[in-house]
Amino acid sequence: MTKVSISILDCDFGNITSEIKKINENKVDFIHIDIMDGKFVENNTEKLFDLNKISLLTDLKYDIHLMVNDPLDKIDSYTKYNPDTITIHFENNSNLMASINKIKKHKINVGVAINPDTKISEIYDILDEIDIVLVMSVNPGQGGQRFIINTVDKVKALNERKNKNNFLISVDGGVNNTNSKDLLNAGADILVSGSYLVKSNNLNHSIKSLLIH
Ligand code: DX5
Ligand code: ZN
């Protein structure tokens, strides 16, 4: 079953209680938290999310996406929320294996994200070590960008390695009902969607529209 992870980067933080309530009333699997350090990407969201508060408002687990340089020392500040997944980037990461092992030690699923310009062959040798490959379908940094179409081919090619290596494919950036069908057919297991969902005036309908094959 394909899972949906809602990115709340573009939600109304002034009304976070009602935003989370709306999410709780609909069928999503995870809340995707985009942490940016102002170095890996220009934006800084390290103080944007009150994760203690949000976790009091929902039973959904976090899916934490760290868009930071050298995440190793930052991982511990997020393991305490017991997220379903912590995803780190392949790029600008001088301690990739140590970061993977640190997340694993906490029995949290390990995701490794690749930017649109990174070839999937660059991560072949770590596929056995991780649970999820997060394929970025926009350049990281902000929500509401346009989906990069050749992501679908990357997902297809990765999908062919699934039997051998056993991992899930997640896609993040510009995901909406115009590209979700192609992504599902290509082998995506988790769709991360932000602005399409949080700005929808019929969340239930929009979630369903992502899952139509
Ligand atoms: C981009 C983030 C994405 C993004 C998703 O840097 O990693 O998670 O916020 O939002 P949409 O779906 O609006 O691209
Ligand atoms: Zn993200």
Side-chain angles (χ1 to χ4, degrees):
M1 260 300 268
T2 315
K3 298 204 159 153
V4 173
S5 186
I6 183 167
S7 161
I8 58 169
L9 184 63
D10 282 339
C11 81
D12 177 2
F13 285 94
N15 288 308
I16 190 71
T17 305
S18 64
E19 291 281 70
I20 300 298
K21 185 166 179 271
K22 199 163 74 183
I23 292 170
N24 288 337
E25 287 161 357
N26 288 280
K27 221 198 125 347
V28 302
D29 298 283
F30 307 112
I31 297 183
H32 182 92
I33 304 291
D34 287 303
I35 304 294
M36 308 180 186
D37 65 351
K39 299 186 191 95
F40 185 84
V41 293
E42 223 173 280
N43 278 334
N44 190 314
T45 62
E46 286 173 313
K47 298 211 164 66
L48 181 64
F49 303 96
D50 185 343
L51 295 179
N52 286 312
K53 179 173 176 183
I54 297 171
S55 61
L56 292 174
L57 299 170
T58 185
D59 291 332
L60 289 170
K61 282 199 163 191
Y62 293 136
D63 148 30
I64 296 181
H65 179 191
L66 297 179
M67 285 161 277
V68 307
N69 283 347
D70 297 324
L72 184 61
D73 293 334
K74 299 214 165 139
I75 289 168
D76 278 336
S77 13
Y78 298 100
T79 53
K80 63 179 177 217
Y81 298 105
N82 190 28
D84 178 82
T85 306
I86 295 181
T87 296
I88 52 180
H89 267 262
F90 173 76
E91 305 85 6
N92 291 8
N93 191 340
S94 52
N95 295 301
L96 182 62
M97 267 326 289
S99 303
I100 289 172
N101 288 330
K102 193 173 214 177
I103 299 168
K104 264 190 193 168
K105 234 177 46 204
H106 290 270
K107 306 231 177 318
I108 293 167
N109 291 321
V110 185
V112 168
I114 51 170
N115 280 342
D117 289 340
T118 301
K119 293 195 178 69
I120 60 166
S121 55
E122 296 186 56
I123 58 163
Y124 283 168
D125 59 345
I126 57 159
L127 287 177
D128 275 335
E129 313 297 331
I130 66 180
D131 301 292
I132 295 169
V133 177
L134 184 147
V135 183
M136 288 301 300
S137 37
V138 299
N139 284 302
Q142 58 191 56
Q145 302 183 75
R146 188 191 285 259
F147 180 85
I148 298 171
I149 199 77
N150 72 10
T151 309
V152 177
D153 294 330
K154 267 174 133 172
V155 173
K156 264 187 211 152
L158 261 177
N159 192 46
E160 284 172 13
R161 304 187 78 91
K162 260 196 210 151
N163 287 342
K164 184 168 171 270
N165 300 110
N166 192 30
F167 58 91
L168 298 177
I169 302 173
S170 175
V171 182
D172 182 16
V175 173
N176 59 37
N177 66 337
T178 69
N179 46 50
S180 55
K181 190 173 181 170
D182 289 342
L183 291 171
L184 297 181
N185 289 334
D189 302 287
I190 302 163
L191 298 177
V192 178
S193 184
S195 48
Y196 175 66
L197 294 183
V198 295
K199 300 216 185 293
S200 162
N201 45 30
N202 188 338
L203 185 55
N204 178 42
H205 179 268
S206 299
I207 293 164
K208 283 189 179 143
S209 75
L210 289 180
L211 296 171
I212 297 170
H213 266 264

